[in-house]
Structures are given as C-alpha cells and as structure tokens.
Amino acid sequence: QKNGPSIQEALETAITKLTGERVRVAFAGRTDAGVHAWGQVAAFDTASAHPLSTFVEGLTYWLPRDIAVVRAVEAPPGFDPRRHAVSRTYRYLVLNRRARSPLWAYRAWHVRDPLDLAPMRRLIEWLPGRRDWAALAGDAGGRSTVRTLTRAELRAKGPLLAFEFEAPSFLPHQVRRTVGALVEAGAGRRAVEALIEQIERAAPASVGPVAPPHGLYLARVAYREIDLRPPEADEPEEPDE
C-alpha cells in the first residue's frame, strides 16, 4: 500500500527474516484500514525445511505486535486462499450504551442511542438468500452485485451486540452497510419494511450508513482442502464490560 503499512508487507518481511527467501504472499481477501481479523488466511511457497511450529513462532517473533500467526498447515499444490475459499464469515460488534468504553474504543462501534432488538432481528432474518446487493455495497468495479448470503445472525450479551454474516463472497462495504441499516432500524429511524423495499430496488450504495471499520472482524475463511479453523482459545470472547 502506498498510503501506509500493510499486513502483506509485514508478513513478507518476516518470512525473509525467518527463511532468507523473498516470497509473494497471497491472502484470502483484503480488509479496509481499521478492520480486524482473527481468521485471515495467507499462503506462500517456501523451500525452507522449518517445521510448521517454527513458522508459527518464528514469524510471530518478527511481526509487529498487532499481527500474529496462530496456525500453520501444509497446503496442497496450487492452493489459492482467495479463489479456493468456499465461505467467509464476518462478525461486527456494536457497544450499545450511553457511556463510552476505553477498552472497546477500537474494537466495537459505540452506539449511544438505545437499540430495539426486535426490528433488527426481523431485518436480519430476512437477509439470507441470493439477491442483488447493490444497495448495500460500495463500488463493485463493474462486477456483478448479485451474491448469496447463506447466514445472518444477531446475538446480544449485555450492551454488546454481535452481528455475524456468512457467504461465499462479499461486496465492498456490504457488511458495514448492512450493519448501518440494522442500527437505523433498531434506533427507530427507518422502518424494516422501507429498508427491505430499498434493498430490493438495488440502487447502488443507497442504504446505510456505512458502519465504522473498527467494529468489523474477518472471523473465518473455510476451505474444502484444508481445515483452517483457528484454535477455539484464539477466538476472542464477547464479555460484558
């Protein structure tokens, strides 16, 4: 990235320091600046004889403190972490209370207005299916905006709300615009029926607002060839503060 540091650059630098090789790393997908991930997948070719455990510990040693390798597996020849993915799961966290939280400041969207879960649940239950998502997407670069959303869920634990979405692929800003629409419904600013009608009209980028990036997490990327679920202990908890 010309405008700042990237995870790819940091990982490639760490690989060079660990193995002496200069490699190009492929990722399951890009995330916007400020978005988190505990399920990002990266792949690269190496002639190194290091065991997998050394790649986990050695690369983490050379990486900055805000990046860590949690698991390493040997992939089949020709494995492409982006094209071979069968599903991606994103989670978005909202802290819904009057008082701000220093602990959650960069980990969840702080929404001060009280949110009614009932309309949000009605909308999120309607969302799964195959449709044109142009209304909830940013610039798709001329690609089709038709996608299949296989799962959408809302969980609440005290003031913390967790929205989770699973699909084979997502459009730019699709999850963040979807959460923005859900919050509008929960705050009573938009009726669920009106939001559904507007989504079905599929006018580009017409539904929102776009939720801020720091509440979004790439939770998991699933494959048929390999099991890359992170160890359960590595998945962050969602405790009451």
Side-chain angles (χ1 to χ4, degrees), residues 87-101:
S87 74
R88 293 167 171 81
T89 300
Y90 282 93
R91 187 177 301 176
Y92 196 99
L93 300 183
V94 169
L95 182 68
N96 184 215
R97 69 179 196 186
R98 294 290 295 175
R100 72 174 188 232
S101 167

Side-chain angles (χ1 to χ4, degrees), residues 36-131:
H36 313 289
W38 68 83
Q40 178 65 278
V41 177
F44 60 93
D45 295 324
T46 177
S48 170
H50 289 315
L52 294 174
S53 59
T54 297
F55 278 104
V56 175
E57 296 169 7
L59 291 178
T60 298
Y61 175 83
W62 290 111
L63 286 166
R65 291 186 61 84
D66 56 353
I67 308 173
V69 176
V70 297
R71 190 173 184 184
V73 300
E74 186 173 349
F79 174 73
D80 186 314
R82 182 179 64 84
R83 291 191 301 108
H84 292 177
V86 295
S87 74
R88 293 167 171 81
T89 300
Y90 282 93
R91 187 177 301 176
Y92 196 99
L93 300 183
V94 169
L95 182 68
N96 184 215
R97 69 179 196 186
R98 294 290 295 175
R100 72 174 188 232
S101 167
L103 296 180
W104 286 96
Y106 300 102
R107 300 169 58 201
W109 179 16
H110 178 210
V111 177
R112 292 167 55 88
D113 296 335
L115 297 177
D116 185 351
L117 295 183
M120 290 194 291
R121 291 195 190 281
R122 289 204 309 274
L123 180 55
I124 207 167
E125 287 171 3
W126 173 84
L127 287 172
R130 184 170 179 80
R131 57 174 54 88

Side-chain angles (χ1 to χ4, degrees), residues 68 161 195:
L161 309 180
L195 285 167

Side-chain angles (χ1 to χ4, degrees), residues 11-25:
L11 184 56
E12 290 175 352
T13 299
I15 293 168
T16 298
K17 290 179 177 178
L18 179 65
T19 68
E21 301 170 316
R22 291 190 177 275
V23 303
R24 186 71 171 171
V25 176

Side-chain angles (χ1 to χ4, degrees), residues 30 32 35 88 90 92 126-140 143-152 163-182 199 205 207-211 216:
R30 293 186 176 188
D32 294 334
V35 174
R88 293 167 171 81
Y90 282 93
Y92 196 99
W126 173 84
L127 287 172
R130 184 170 179 80
R131 57 174 54 88
D132 190 334
W133 296 98
L136 289 168
D139 183 4
R143 296 173 296 159
S144 170
T145 49
V146 175
R147 295 289 188 277
T148 300
L149 184 66
T150 55
R151 183 171 61 88
F163 302 88
E164 196 159 287
F165 307 92
E166 183 177 359
S169 63
F170 289 87
L171 294 162
H173 297 167
Q174 181 181 345
V175 173
R176 289 166 58 194
R177 280 191 176 274
T178 301
V179 172
L182 287 160
I199 292 169
V207 178
V210 183
L216 182 60

